[in-house]
Amino acid sequence: MNRAVGESLDLMAVETPVAVVDLARVRANAHRVVQYARGHGLRWRPHVKTHKSLGIARIQLEAGATGLTVATLHEAEVMSAVSRDLLLAYPPVGRRKLDRLVRLPDEVRLSVALDSPEVLYPLAGAVREAGRSVRVLVELDVGLGRVGVPDPQDAARLAAEVTELDGVEFEGLLFYAGHIRSPGPEQDRDMATLGQTLERVYAALDRRGLRPRVVSGGTTPTLWRSHEVPGLTEIRPGTCIYNDRDAVAQGAATPDDWAYSVLTTVVSTRVPGRAAVDAGSKALAKEARGGSGFGVVLGRPEVTVAALSEEHGVLDLSGTDWRPRVGDRIRIVPNHVCVSVNLQERILVTEGTQIEAWPLEGRGRLHIAVDPTTRDGAG
Ligand SMILES: Cc1ncc(COP(=O)(O)O)c(C=O)c1O
């Protein structure tokens, strides 16, 4: 396991702020997703952007994840040590990135999502030059308006272009329905629209004699409704491994599923009705959700983080009788766990009475093996 060698830690003595991960909950979360996916004939390819940790990726794979999803070349390089089946769910643009992509270990079965000929052709060229092959998923925009082909005919045309090129193989479709975040009736409507959009793309592919082997979707907010999506073969939720305040608000998890929190110390109680802690935006991330604060105190759902500056978090005590004292330690669950994880240098992983520090190998952009003196071109 990826732990700081020989480091044994006392949670009450460690310096704060620091991220704490409950491994039993991580395992339970992974198990639940795998059971659900298997029960519906889906494969789980978790997005590692949530945890960026080789140790957590191993747990996901041991639980039954069938491969991993990455967003950066660095994540791909790091995760190739534990998985031979990687999906780069991000268009690789620029020579540098393509060089890194084709230099991934030969045994890695690599899929790449893209939405344009401008990405497809240089990718195919680089792959051919390197004597490799890559599977291509045509990315669809199903409503988020970020990347992806919005029009079904255009998506089918791009898929047909893939089939005409050497080095790349048309594997199927990918979409990210990140616009569906609210629980309830609104989600019903958006899920129905998503299904109709996909059916139109399948029909357009069919007219060209093409059939997707893989249809990759799935987010944490829609996780437990993935089986309603027609033609879906794999899901990529990442947040579900830790869960966060948003996942609970979206109805995708309960507070019992929270596996990640930031341990912090009360540093001031002088302002009436408030308490300041040493976890600010540089530990929790300043992701506001509808004016309800930036996080919640674990075990005290009535106490939220009302304000954040870089190194201070300000707790709102107006809804509680609890009066923390300077030096008290509490844990805060952030609104959005992935961005909080990315701010940490390590995670303290707890299991029973065991506490260890694990590195976050997937953080950053450059692989450790990249010579820092090499000039990084525009690519
Ligand atoms: C392309 C892609 N796939 C999957 C995910 C995972 O979604 P979630 O964070 O809802 O689990 C993300 C999240 O940003 C994403 O961008």
Side-chain angles (χ1 to χ4, degrees):
M1 283 292 191
N2 297 281
R3 45 190 65 150
V5 184
E7 205 177 343
S8 158
L9 295 153
D10 173 359
L11 207 52
M12 284 306 116
V14 24
E15 196 173 327
T16 61
V18 68
V20 179
V21 168
D22 180 330
L23 222 47
R25 288 193 179 183
V26 166
R27 291 188 210 284
N29 290 342
H31 180 72
R32 201 165 46 250
V33 180
V34 168
Q35 289 303 106
Y36 166 80
R38 284 190 182 149
H40 293 283
L42 296 164
R43 289 187 297 272
W44 180 37
R45 184 190 284 280
H47 206 312
V48 304
K49 51 109 200 180
T50 300
H51 57 74
K52 296 194 179 246
S53 151
L54 275 174
I56 301 292
R58 278 198 193 95
I59 290 173
Q60 293 176 316
L61 292 162
E62 281 161 16
T66 53
L68 299 173
T69 305
V70 299
T72 68
L73 269 302
H74 179 62
E75 288 172 356
E77 287 157 350
V78 165
M79 294 299 157
S80 67
V82 291
S83 175
R84 304 223 155 147
D85 194 337
L86 298 180
L87 162 62
L88 178 64
Y90 201 96
V93 174
R95 189 69 228 182
R96 274 297 276 208
K97 284 186 176 151
L98 290 173
D99 283 349
R100 291 174 76 178
L101 188 125
V102 298
R103 275 194 264 119
L104 287 168
D106 284 341
E107 58 278 16
V108 172
R109 180 186 181 278
L110 189 65
S111 309
V112 174
L114 53 81
D115 67 3
S116 71
E118 288 84 351
V119 177
L120 171 63
Y121 282 84
L123 170 70
V127 165
R128 270 197 311 272
E129 233 173 78
R132 297 188 67 132
S133 78
V134 163
R135 294 168 171 81
V136 168
L137 298 176
V138 170
E139 181 154 6
L140 310 171
D141 174 24
V142 293
L144 182 62
R146 182 174 75 177
V147 291
V149 188
D151 179 75
Q153 311 304 331
D154 292 343
R157 193 169 307 120
L158 183 59
E161 279 190 67
V162 177
T163 63
E164 282 158 19
L165 291 176
D166 290 333
V168 286
E169 201 182 319
F170 174 62
E171 177 87 331
L173 303 168
L174 177 143
F175 62 89
Y176 172 62
H179 60 296
I180 309 180
R181 309 199 73 81
S182 52
E186 242 174 87
Q187 196 171 93
D188 290 348
R189 198 195 50 216
D190 289 341
M191 291 295 284
T193 307
L194 171 62
Q196 289 153 13
T197 305
L198 290 173
E199 297 287 12
R200 279 198 288 276
V201 179
Y202 300 152
L205 286 174
D206 196 50
R207 281 194 288 280
R208 290 176 178 270
L210 294 174
R211 196 173 279 266
R213 277 196 301 263
V214 168
V215 178
S216 178
T219 62
T220 295
T222 61
L223 169 53
W224 311 110
R225 300 186 67 168
S226 301
H227 60 283
E228 296 173 26
V229 180
L232 200 66
T233 66
E234 77 171 26
I235 53 174
R236 305 185 310 275
T239 303
C240 59
I241 194 65
Y242 286 155
N243 289 305
D244 53 20
R245 195 163 168 238
D246 285 349
V248 170
Q250 290 149 0
T254 72
D256 287 343
D257 308 321
W258 282 332
Y260 174 99
S261 59
V262 175
L263 181 69
T264 180
T265 304
V266 176
V267 294
S268 171
T269 58
R270 295 307 288 256
V271 178
R274 301 204 146 193
V277 296
D278 63 4
S281 63
K282 287 182 172 170
L284 293 169
K286 202 164 185 167
E287 296 252 329
R289 293 286 187 262
S292 67
F294 302 98
V296 65
V297 174
L298 197 62
R300 295 189 185 278
E302 75 283 10
V303 184
T304 58
V305 181
L308 283 176
S309 40
E310 288 177 48
E311 302 292 352
H312 299 78
V314 180
L315 306 182
D316 176 3
L317 304 179
S318 60
T320 181
D321 294 337
W322 173 59
R323 290 292 168 261
R325 287 180 308 192
V326 170
D328 283 355
R329 287 177 163 224
I330 56 166
R331 293 201 206 178
I332 294 174
V333 177
N335 287 353
H336 185 183
V337 65
C338 312
V339 274
S340 172
V341 169
N342 193 47
L343 296 168
Q344 314 301 324
E345 274 130 10
R346 58 180 186 164
I347 47 175
L348 295 189
V349 173
T350 68
E351 189 157 46
T353 55
Q354 287 275 102
I355 302 164
E356 289 170 342
W358 287 12
L360 299 171
E361 300 90 339
R363 272 180 76 230
R365 301 255 168 222
L366 292 181
H367 195 278
I368 202 91
V370 171
D371 178 355
T373 59
T374 324
R375 266 194 296 151
D376 199 348

